[in-house]
Amino acid sequence: MPANTPGLLIVFEGTDGTGKSTQLKLLATALEKQGFPVVSTCEPSNGKYGKQIRALFTKRNTIKPEDELELFLADRKDHVDDLIIPELKNGKIVLCDRYYLSTIAYQGAAGLDPTDILTRNNFAPTPDLAILFHVPLEIGIKRITESRREALNDFESKEYLQKVSIQFERLQLPCIQRVDATKDINSVHQNVLALVTPLLRSL
Ligand code: ADP
Ligand code: MG
């Protein structure tokens, strides 16, 4: 029995440029075509703490890692209470672009204890599935610079993303399924569908 019955919580995780947002949209469309009720969302959320986090993208040196973690947790608490839990109770398939695995990896890479970060996310529903996308760092960075034609933000420097990537590699949780995201977009989508399809039987 999936953890979030009657709904399903599927989260998309990995470093920047791995294709999370691309794959979330493709999955949402595929599920909607099959008649499933889908809600797509992302973190940082569009709430007040999410906005404060986005404002840090170009001035991350102005905040201590501990305070930054507090902001991510406050944002998640609102997002979980206001959107994720109500939609799961409504029987929706909630697709979330980044969730607490990203907090563990990014704030873990900033020097905080990954186990402690996980514990502090106890209030957040455990995903039924966390798809962890992986590409070599150079490929991810090339994809984001080419698609946005702008400089990397403070969460995206190569040295930092190297550490984030190591944190993601170390994560071992039952909800995690790893996907090689170096393949073309449709092949990755087929891999995602193969992971999601067995969960749909319970809906
Ligand atoms: P993320 O949300 O993980 O940062 P995006 O989905 O925004 O990544 O993708 C970043 C860029 O890489 C986009 O231009 C997207 O079209 C491209 N992209 C995504 N997946 C692939 C893939 N499998 N192969 C090649 N390019 C991809
Ligand atoms: Mg994205």
Side-chain angles (χ1 to χ4, degrees):
M1 175 81 70
N4 295 298
T5 306
L8 265 185
L9 177 60
I10 301 174
V11 302
F12 292 68
E13 298 278 16
T15 47
D16 302 86
T18 44
K20 298 178 295 299
S21 305
T22 304
Q23 293 298 330
L24 188 153
K25 280 193 205 101
L26 286 175
L27 180 63
T29 306
L31 293 176
E32 279 162 359
K33 261 195 198 156
Q34 294 178 53
F36 290 104
V38 177
V39 173
S40 300
T41 188
C42 68
E43 293 191 357
S45 79
N46 293 317
K48 68 173 174 179
Y49 296 111
K51 287 193 181 105
Q52 288 180 40
I53 293 167
R54 285 175 215 282
L56 291 173
F57 282 8
T58 50
K59 51 171 185 176
R60 205 178 168 206
N61 57 352
T62 60
I63 186 165
K64 294 200 298 267
E66 290 77 9
D67 296 339
E68 191 179 79
L69 174 62
E70 294 293 345
L71 274 183
F72 277 99
L73 293 173
D75 180 47
R76 180 157 307 117
K77 185 87 181 68
D78 282 356
H79 190 213
V80 160
D81 289 347
D82 299 347
L83 189 147
I84 296 180
I85 289 181
E87 295 291 11
L88 291 172
K89 282 190 176 152
N90 277 336
K92 299 283 172 61
I93 302 178
V94 178
L95 305 182
C96 189
D97 195 337
R98 293 194 181 282
Y99 195 50
Y100 59 69
L101 301 189
S102 282
T103 314
I104 297 171
Y106 281 74
Q107 276 56 56
L112 303 183
D113 175 26
T115 310
D116 180 53
I117 301 172
L118 177 62
T119 306
R120 294 184 64 188
N121 277 280
N122 268 344
F123 65 87
T126 304
D128 295 289
L129 173 64
I131 308 173
L132 182 37
F133 295 95
H134 179 79
V135 293
L137 222 50
E138 289 72 22
I139 296 181
I141 289 175
K142 190 160 177 275
R143 284 184 189 168
I144 47 182
T145 44
E146 281 178 0
S147 67
R148 294 201 310 233
R149 300 191 183 282
E150 62 185 43
L152 300 172
N153 73 38
D154 294 357
F155 287 85
E156 297 171 336
S157 78
K158 190 168 177 197
E159 296 68 31
Y160 181 61
L161 285 185
Q162 194 84 56
K163 291 185 190 163
V164 174
S165 188
I166 291 168
Q167 294 291 336
F168 272 128
E169 273 168 38
R170 282 189 189 148
L171 286 175
Q172 303 263 15
L173 292 167
C175 60
I176 294 178
Q177 293 283 348
R178 291 181 153 81
V179 166
D180 172 7
T182 52
K183 290 181 275 183
D184 64 273
I185 290 174
N186 188 48
S187 301
V188 178
H189 175 57
Q190 296 308 320
N191 289 353
V192 168
L193 279 179
L195 293 172
V196 171
T197 303
L199 299 176
L200 302 173
R201 290 192 201 114
S202 66
L203 279 184

